[in-house]
Amino acid sequence: MRLDNWQLTEDVTDFLARAGNFLRSRPALHNTPLTDIEKLRTCAAKAHGGQATVFGRLEAGGEIRAIFYRAPTGRLTLTPLSAAQAVTLVGHLAGLGHYLSSVVADHDTAVAFAEAWRQRTGAATASFWRTHLYRLGTLTAPQPQPQGRGRRVGEDEQENVVRWCREFCVDASESVSIAAIDADSWADTRFADKDFTFWEASDGAPVSMAGSTSAVGGMVRVDPVYTPAPFRGRGYAGAVTVEVSRAALAAGATDVVLFADPANPTSNALYQRIGYVHVTDFAGYRFSCEEPERGPGSAGVMSRAISRGVRPKSSIARLQPSDRHISPYPRGLSSSTGT
């Protein structure tokens, strides 16, 4: 279906075939769409209640200029848009009856979209996420380097990884991930498909941990970085971050990135000391308003509207308590806890 220059689909394979090169053209800036959409593709993910993720691409002059994807929860993720493009997209989505619970994008795009959505729908907006994006420049080991070594986590150490990820989520206020872990649903967390590395002290005891995504489009994201409270302040977080960053480069990554909480000067200073360079800021805004009533048989209305070009009269996606496929960090503001 074509809406001016925005083209919508629920077919993730077709979407990646058309928009993949655009996403890979700026892998650091597009790191979250790259990993999220790849996960949707490989998992053949189906949305809550029979609804699917909706993908959109903005084309002009024969080239893709921007993309979005709207999760079944109503969360919208965007690549950078001008203020005018944000207003246009708001008109398209509102006109089709899309219910949005929140938007996540680079700071300027998120602000512009949230304000346009407020003006169009009357929804109240509230900031819930703000982060710095860093990209690795020249990797520099911290000096002095703490005693010990980094090593990949073994399969028999999964219990320790799960426990530390939960502690990380408590520190970062990631209630959705905590609930999934407590429900013994590790596969539904955003950590399940990541590789983990421990920094172990000279006595062999793990003292810090870092995770990393698989490479997509040459990009690897370091997340999470966690040091339990008793071991903080000894340089372990910097050492394990260098370890996973070096491993990513050795495996052929062209872009190694991470997010950091702007309110945590310690982690930001650490990342810059070991070679990470600030790229831009990202933000998330939550929308608060009553969702329109959903009558019997309304499931699948948006799917049929997309295929036939029909404009539905009401929203079709209810706000769900979580979306297992979508990051970044719904409430946690940082990829790092404890240095």
Side-chain angles (χ1 to χ4, degrees):
M1 174 181 175
R2 190 178 182 96
L3 296 173
D4 295 337
N5 292 327
W6 282 102
Q7 300 181 46
L8 279 61
T9 183
E10 293 177 357
D11 186 334
V12 63
T13 301
D14 177 70
F15 177 77
L16 279 175
R18 298 173 185 273
N21 287 340
F22 166 76
L23 291 171
R24 291 186 291 269
S25 69
R26 304 184 70 181
L29 186 64
H30 298 159
N31 73 90
T32 298
L34 280 168
T35 54
D36 282 352
I37 298 173
E38 178 64 12
K39 184 182 293 186
L40 287 166
R41 184 190 68 82
T42 57
C43 293
K46 298 298 182 183
H48 301 281
Q51 299 303 323
T53 297
V54 176
F55 305 93
R57 63 187 191 276
L58 175 64
E59 294 190 4
E63 296 183 2
I64 295 178
R65 307 294 185 179
I67 66 98
F68 77 79
Y69 51 103
R70 174 196 172 277
T73 61
R75 168 163 292 175
L76 184 75
T77 303
L78 298 169
T79 58
L81 296 173
S82 68
Q85 289 169 337
V87 171
T88 300
L89 180 57
V90 163
H92 289 335
L93 296 178
L96 279 171
H98 280 275
Y99 167 70
L100 298 184
S101 62
S102 59
V103 63
V104 169
D106 66 281
H107 177 265
D108 291 349
T109 299
V111 169
F113 187 93
E115 175 60 18
W117 188 258
R118 183 192 66 79
Q119 292 185 15
R120 175 65 183 253
T121 67
T125 64
S127 172
F128 73 95
W129 186 62
R130 181 77 180 269
T131 191
H132 292 325
L133 172 65
Y134 287 93
R135 178 184 181 274
L136 182 61
T138 301
L139 186 62
T140 305
Q143 297 297 331
Q145 180 167 306
Q147 292 186 342
R149 68 183 183 96
R151 63 171 177 81
R152 291 285 296 275
V153 174
E155 292 183 3
D156 59 340
E157 299 172 295
Q158 180 70 9
E159 183 177 346
N160 198 17
V161 170
V162 173
R163 182 174 67 253
W164 280 8
C165 282
R166 190 188 188 284
E167 292 175 8
F168 168 87
C169 291
V170 170
D171 286 352
S173 300
E174 289 194 27
S175 57
V176 170
S177 296
I178 294 170
I181 293 172
D182 289 349
D184 199 24
S185 298
W186 176 252
D188 292 341
T189 71
R190 66 181 185 83
F191 308 109
D193 59 345
K194 291 177 179 169
D195 296 319
F196 285 90
T197 295
F198 282 151
W199 186 266
E200 62 179 24
S202 53
D203 63 358
V207 291
S208 190
M209 175 185 76
S212 60
T213 64
S214 299
V216 184
M219 182 281 304
V220 169
R221 185 172 62 247
V222 177
D223 164 65
V225 179
Y226 178 72
T227 304
F231 306 123
R232 294 175 187 173
R234 307 181 193 182
Y236 296 140
V240 75
T241 302
V242 167
E243 188 74 14
V244 296
S245 302
R246 183 181 291 122
L249 294 174
T254 57
D255 292 75
V256 184
V257 303
L258 53 78
F259 290 111
D261 182 359
N264 188 338
T266 301
S267 63
N268 282 269
L270 165 66
Y271 294 141
Q272 292 177 69
R273 284 199 304 273
I274 64 177
Y276 280 85
V277 179
H278 179 248
V279 176
T280 191
D281 288 354
F282 279 74
Y285 285 86
R286 185 173 289 112
F287 306 132
S288 301
C289 64
E290 275 193 41
E291 184 185 356
E293 288 295 324
R294 181 179 175 181
S298 62
V301 168
M302 186 60 69
S303 298
R304 294 192 295 272
I306 287 175
S307 63
R308 298 198 312 263
V310 176
R311 290 165 60 123
K313 295 181 179 180
S314 64
S315 167
I316 51 82
R318 288 192 178 276
L319 177 62
Q320 301 291 337
S322 68
D323 182 347
R324 71 185 66 178
H325 305 293
I326 301 301
S327 54
Y329 333 121
R331 292 196 59 194
L333 298 179
S334 174
S335 66
S336 174
T337 301
T339 58

